[in-house]
Amino acid sequence: MEGFSRRKMLIVSGGVLGGLGMAGPAEASGSGLGAGESGHGAGVSEADGSDPRWVWDPDADPVAAGILDRGQVPEVNRLLRTWTRNDQPLPAGLPADLRAFVEQARNLPTWAEQSTLDRAAGFVENKGTYLILLYGLGGGMLSCAIPNEARAVYYSKGGADLKDRAAKTGKLGYDIQEPNAFRPDGHLLVTAVKTRLVHAAVRHLLPQSPYWKQGIPISQNDMLVTWHTLPTFVMRKLTEWRVRITPAESAAFLHVWRVTAHMLGIQDHFIPATWEAVNAQSKQVLDPALARTREGVDLADQILTISAKGITPSGSTRPLLNALARYLVGDHVADLAAIPREPVWGPLVRTGFPAWVALRENLTLLPLVPKIAWTIDEAVRKYILFYLSGGKQIDIEIPDTNRPS
Ligand code: HEM
């Protein structure tokens, strides 16, 4: 993947010397639907009369169940491994129902605006460091404090090999960062459709696990909850950090994530259309979903250990990473995920992080930059290099079993 190293280097090297700046007020004005869009304002319960807690993915779920029941998963995964680009025809030999589903699911929604998606590319690239840090470390820790998600990840096949699972999830993070993500030569549409199939397979498999007591997993509500750990959380943090963002960038970033939500199988009427509606829905669905679980605590610990080893093979950066993770998600979520408090690194990161942002935003004179800001910069760069290194050759594959006990 030729673009990989260029893009990776842009993200990793951009900020400190190269002024990545941007983002501003996260709120786009207006609370109504975007033109031609079907998403309602804030509330999920009123959307179309259906409750997202009791809706899953009626198009994908029977297809995934069918290939699982017919024992076709290994063959389907083998064939789909060659299908990587948005414009690429599907390989021959796929089951007819799967082919029909994918041919439909791979299309952008009618309300997607390519010009707006293109407009987001510059923002996504410029803010890449913040975005990857927030998706990966921030969103990753938040997910551990969401019981439905933590348990689903823990008891599904990928729960047994979190390093592999993190790399696969990183593939989506990598693909959405590509400037051509939604264009014919991009990869995001393929990755999103494959992820949709993975989720559909998990809905069929997890209820068969002796450890799973929660009914059918990954409802539309669960999808919304997790979605808010991504763009909603990111924009909240960027705003808090006073990162410069123009209203056009903010709107384009939301559009990227609304289209991605659609591609992942979230129904249009549940996808909020404005930042005001996004933030209201997040309060409604994400805030009450947060709680501590044994599984989430274990996952958070594993993710932090894996990431620390990604930064330094000895894992010696774990205390710094704990402090960073706690700073990103705040004490409430950090306590739910049992991220250790760090008496030395905690206060250092609390003062050093704003200095690091100021450094990246070119708001400070280099001689005045405290040492801790450079330490954070180095750790974040290494974290991102590690995180993105999965994007190259990783295949997202449909699971055919739960976590082996
Ligand atoms: C798999 C992203 C929501 C549970 C995946 C994968 C991606 C992904 C990229 C494929 C990587 C892999 O195979 O490991 C997302 C995004 C979401 C979302 C962007 C929302 C916007 C959810 C929710 C749950 C969930 C709400 C559970 C409540 C899982 C599980 C797997 C998975 C269990 C499969 C792991 C395995 O193979 O065992 N997700 N996900 N995801 N996701 Fe999600």
Side-chain angles (χ1 to χ4, degrees):
M1 187 179 296
E2 194 200 322
F4 175 74
S5 49
R6 178 188 154 269
R7 181 154 191 78
K8 184 169 71 174
M9 292 325 294
L10 274 174
I11 290 171
V12 174
S13 66
V16 171
L17 301 176
L20 293 197
M22 49 227 98
E27 299 293 319
S29 60
S31 59
L33 300 181
E37 302 182 11
S38 54
H40 285 252
V44 289
S45 57
E46 61 187 334
D48 68 349
S50 60
D51 183 332
R53 290 173 301 175
W54 302 104
V55 184
W56 290 270
D57 190 340
D59 296 326
D61 294 348
V63 173
I67 54 177
L68 277 160
D69 289 344
R70 297 191 298 263
Q72 293 171 316
V73 169
E75 178 62 4
V76 163
N77 278 334
R78 191 183 68 76
L79 291 169
L80 285 183
R81 228 166 274 155
T82 62
W83 183 56
T84 58
R85 256 176 65 131
N86 293 343
D87 62 353
Q88 201 181 338
L90 281 171
L94 291 174
D97 55 351
L98 177 66
R99 171 175 294 275
F101 165 74
V102 174
E103 290 299 7
Q104 172 62 33
R106 69 188 298 180
N107 296 309
L108 284 169
T110 51
W111 46 266
E113 293 161 2
Q114 190 59 58
S115 57
T116 310
L117 297 172
D118 287 344
R119 186 148 38 85
F123 170 76
V124 164
E125 181 159 282
N126 285 339
K127 300 304 180 206
T129 297
Y130 300 129
L131 300 189
I132 299 283
L133 180 68
L134 287 165
Y135 293 150
L137 193 55
M141 289 300 104
L142 273 161
S143 302
C144 297
I146 299 169
N148 284 355
E149 182 164 5
R151 291 195 180 107
V153 169
Y154 191 88
Y155 293 114
S156 64
K157 186 179 183 185
D161 184 353
L162 267 203
K163 195 167 177 189
D164 179 64
R165 151 100 195 157
K168 286 179 175 166
T169 311
K171 165 92 177 129
L172 188 106
Y174 175 77
D175 289 348
I176 204 169
Q177 292 291 117
E178 287 191 313
N180 55 347
F182 298 89
R183 287 203 163 270
D185 57 339
H187 303 87
L188 181 65
L189 305 184
V190 171
T191 297
V193 171
K194 287 185 179 177
T195 301
R196 194 172 165 187
L197 283 167
V198 171
H199 288 154
V202 169
R203 291 189 191 100
H204 190 65
L205 288 167
L206 263 187
Q208 302 168 30
S209 162
Y211 305 103
W212 186 257
K213 312 285 178 218
Q214 285 81 24
I216 304 174
I218 322 184
S219 66
Q220 291 278 312
N221 197 71
D222 291 325
M223 289 295 293
L224 291 169
V225 167
T226 300
W227 189 84
H228 286 297
T229 68
L230 297 163
T232 317
F233 172 67
V234 164
M235 195 50 92
R236 181 155 57 81
K237 297 316 284 187
L238 294 183
T239 305
E240 255 175 55
W241 299 345
R242 300 174 188 277
V243 172
R244 292 184 299 275
I245 308 170
T246 67
E249 288 171 331
S250 170
F253 182 63
L254 176 55
H255 194 61
V256 161
W257 273 102
R258 295 188 74 243
V259 174
T260 303
H262 173 99
M263 298 307 300
L264 287 167
I266 301 182
Q267 297 179 1
D268 287 353
H269 50 262
F270 293 132
I271 306 173
T274 66
W275 280 113
E276 188 182 10
V278 165
N279 290 323
Q281 191 190 68
S282 179
K283 278 200 181 66
Q284 188 187 355
V285 300
L286 172 58
D287 293 3
L290 297 169
R292 185 177 182 132
T293 56
R294 186 182 66 73
E295 293 85 352
V297 167
D298 187 76
L299 291 176
D301 182 53
Q302 287 194 59
I303 292 169
L304 288 168
T305 301
I306 291 166
S307 303
K309 287 192 176 150
I311 295 174
T312 46
S314 68
S316 60
T317 44
R318 177 71 200 265
L320 168 60
L321 207 60
N322 289 340
L324 263 179
R326 183 168 275 274
Y327 182 83
L328 294 183
V329 298
D331 281 336
H332 175 55
V333 170
D335 288 343
L336 295 177
I339 302 169
R341 286 178 187 268
E342 294 294 340
V344 175
W345 284 105
L348 277 173
V349 166
R350 276 198 296 280
T351 53
F353 201 90
W356 176 69
V357 173
L359 173 69
R360 295 193 62 80
E361 297 294 303
N362 291 330
L363 296 176
T364 191
L365 295 171
L366 286 186
L368 300 181
V369 175
K371 187 164 174 283
I372 179 63
W374 293 109
T375 306
I376 291 173
D377 193 62
E378 177 71 7
V380 170
R381 283 163 187 256
K382 286 189 173 157
Y383 172 80
I384 289 172
L385 282 171
F386 170 66
Y387 192 93
L388 290 184
S389 66
K392 271 194 298 189
Q393 73 284 15
I394 291 290
D395 296 311
I396 290 183
E397 305 213 326
I398 301 167
D400 54 2
T401 171
N402 288 314
R403 177 183 183 138
S405 46

